[in-house]
Amino acid sequence: MNETHAATAAELGAQLERELSTCRDFRGRKPKATEELVRALFSKRSRFGITRVGSLTRLDRAGVAVVQVVRPLSLSNAVSQGKGVNVMEAAASGLMESLECWAAELIAPERIKVASARELGDEIRDLYAGCRVHGFDAGWDQLRLGWTDGYDLFTARVRPVPVAMVDTIYTLPSPHPIAFPRSTRGLAAGPTMLAAIIHAALEILERASVAGAERYPRSYPELRIDPARVAGPLSSSMLARLEAADLAAGVWLVPGDHDMPVFRCQVLETQRHREIAPMPGEGFACDFTYDRALARALMEAAQARVTALAGAREDITRAVYPERYDREHLDACRQAFLSPSGTTALPADRDEPVSATTALTAVLGAIKAAGGQAALVVPLYSSKDLDLNVVRLVVPPLRDLVRE
């Protein structure tokens, strides 16, 4: 198989220029190509340590396909999930999620250098000072940290990135001193490097907005949307599936410092059907249009229910399944979801980007508006045979979800 574990950060600029000049479909693969990718990855699953790809769809009734991918020797979660309108889309999503973490475990030692932030200079120290886990830790810049090269999309420069903000080696004890938060934010895969970067950027914008709304609800009040007044073809189709399954949806438009649509959604069973899971599933998404962002958030909320029902992920603890549920709270949520009181309609939808260049410009502009001081791409893996690229996008000093 014609593959490398990554291009170098120095080569990334030239690769992006080529893709921007030739790439017309930055969204991803067509249905036939998606099926071909799934079959190719499945046939080579042992190369990536994947032992199982199985459908969880029938654990729930929401009409969203959910697939589970198991990689037992993972250094983070051994179980990944994928979602889609059909099983092939869900399988591709789950396989990509698993491969993202696989690729982020395999940063070659020669790509890592050890230094303190102070040794790298004031520019680098100041760039990452706002990313610290403990803001009061005045001595963080003297810690001996691993660094790898990233390509800054803002300045077209190669700059060092803390490996702790790139890799997914979540073993205990940690291979990194406690300085920066550990999450999978900004880890993404796509058929091209450009598609992976845009995917990563949308996730970073989503989580930054949700984090701001949770920390400062008065400054960033969420706007509850009436599902009955949603007209977009993708999101209204998803809402119709949920309604047919006797699931009520709560929809909130999350404000932020950028203009990209971000949604938070919850789905919860109504009382018209025998209860399966008395808990709301929650999902988030950011995209270029209200319709696409809302459809993705609803789909993720439905997936979250199935994930809880399966109970196989290591990060789903016993606390998710209390001995007694707060029935009064659940009923209040259900009634609120079904009532139009306090809701509003979505604004007129935005236009989709007409080109890859327009899409990249839009997400980079949104990242700057949200306070990002750099947009550092670390290439992790590429395979020409599979048309697969994995990257990590690091945007200091944007913060993640509070609960992470």
Side-chain angles (χ1 to χ4, degrees):
M1 190 162 75
N2 187 3
E3 63 180 24
T4 60
H5 282 297
T8 66
E11 296 167 343
L12 188 65
Q15 181 174 343
L16 280 176
E17 287 296 327
R18 290 194 300 272
E19 290 187 3
L20 284 170
S21 64
T22 60
C23 179
R24 297 184 182 276
D25 182 14
F26 61 89
R27 276 289 177 191
R29 296 175 171 83
K30 301 300 182 183
K32 184 178 179 180
T34 298
E35 182 173 344
E36 290 172 353
L37 174 70
V38 170
R39 294 185 185 281
L41 289 176
F42 189 77
S43 69
K44 297 174 175 65
R45 61 192 181 279
S46 61
R47 181 189 296 271
F48 307 110
I50 293 170
T51 61
R52 181 178 186 271
V53 179
S55 175
L56 305 178
T57 306
R58 289 189 292 176
L59 291 179
D60 203 6
R61 57 179 187 270
V64 174
V66 179
V67 164
Q68 180 185 78
V69 178
V70 180
R71 189 167 62 90
L73 297 182
S74 169
L75 301 180
S76 53
N77 279 330
V79 178
S80 302
Q81 271 79 228
K83 59 189 177 297
V85 296
N86 57 58
V87 71
M88 281 300 172
E89 283 191 11
S93 172
L95 286 163
M96 298 279 247
E97 181 176 304
S98 185
L99 291 182
E100 288 165 5
C101 290
W102 170 84
E105 294 171 2
L106 300 175
I107 300 174
E110 59 267 25
R111 294 182 60 189
I112 299 173
K113 63 180 179 181
V114 178
S116 69
R118 182 174 295 184
E119 290 171 339
L120 296 176
D122 290 344
E123 180 186 18
I124 297 303
R125 180 193 179 280
D126 294 343
L127 182 63
Y128 295 105
C131 300
R132 291 170 291 167
V133 172
H134 304 297
F136 54 81
D137 185 359
W140 78 274
D141 59 349
Q142 300 179 58
L143 294 172
R144 304 291 291 174
L145 304 173
W147 301 80
T148 191
D149 286 341
Y151 180 81
D152 188 359
L153 296 171
F154 289 170
T155 62
R157 294 164 53 198
V158 176
R159 307 174 82 177
V161 182
V163 177
M165 300 179 73
V166 177
D167 77 12
T168 52
I169 301 176
Y170 296 154
T171 53
L172 294 174
S174 173
H176 307 290
I178 298 176
F180 301 111
R182 307 279 277 147
S183 83
T184 59
R185 181 184 69 161
L187 184 59
T192 63
M193 190 72 68
L194 179 62
I197 289 170
I198 290 174
H199 179 188
L202 291 173
E203 181 180 69
I204 287 170
L205 291 167
E206 164 214 309
R207 296 201 186 186
S209 291
V210 174
E214 289 191 356
R215 288 190 182 93
Y216 312 110
R218 292 186 179 180
S219 300
Y220 299 97
E222 294 182 333
L223 184 67
R224 195 158 80 86
I225 303 300
D226 182 3
R229 298 165 71 184
V230 170
L234 298 174
S235 49
S236 60
S237 174
M238 189 65 228
L239 285 165
R241 291 188 184 205
L242 295 173
E243 184 178 5
D246 290 329
L247 293 170
V251 177
W252 292 267
L253 183 62
V254 182
D257 293 318
H258 58 86
D259 63 351
M260 299 286 283
V262 177
F263 285 94
R264 177 173 70 89
C265 296
Q266 292 185 348
V267 295
L268 181 65
E269 290 170 315
T270 67
Q271 295 177 319
R272 298 193 300 269
H273 196 284
R274 182 177 177 181
E275 185 174 84
I276 297 176
M279 61 184 77
E282 190 167 45
F284 309 89
C286 172
D287 214 308
F288 295 102
T289 67
Y290 292 107
D291 184 37
R292 192 177 291 274
L294 177 51
R296 289 179 52 212
L298 289 165
M299 195 173 293
E300 185 172 278
Q303 176 192 263
R305 274 176 51 88
V306 177
T307 302
L309 287 167
R313 280 179 65 106
E314 301 93 316
D315 55 353
I316 297 181
T317 67
R318 186 183 182 118
V320 176
Y321 311 99
E323 292 183 9
R324 293 183 179 83
Y325 292 95
D326 187 339
R327 295 290 178 175
E328 291 185 4
H329 172 71
L330 291 173
D331 190 57
C333 288
R334 184 181 297 110
Q335 295 306 316
F337 292 175
L338 295 172
S339 170
S341 176
T343 64
T344 188
L346 280 176
D349 212 345
R350 300 152 46 100
D351 293 330
E352 283 267 21
V354 296
S355 68
T357 302
T358 307
L360 184 61
T361 300
V363 294
L364 292 182
I367 285 173
K368 284 185 179 180
Q373 297 174 10
L376 296 146
V377 182
V378 181
L380 297 174
Y381 177 76
S382 63
S383 169
K384 292 182 180 179
D385 286 354
L386 295 171
D387 290 331
L388 180 66
N389 294 266
V390 182
V391 303
R392 171 77 87 154
L393 181 61
V394 177
V395 181
L398 298 191
R399 304 293 292 181
D400 212 331
L401 298 174
V402 171
R403 45 181 167 269
E404 292 188 17

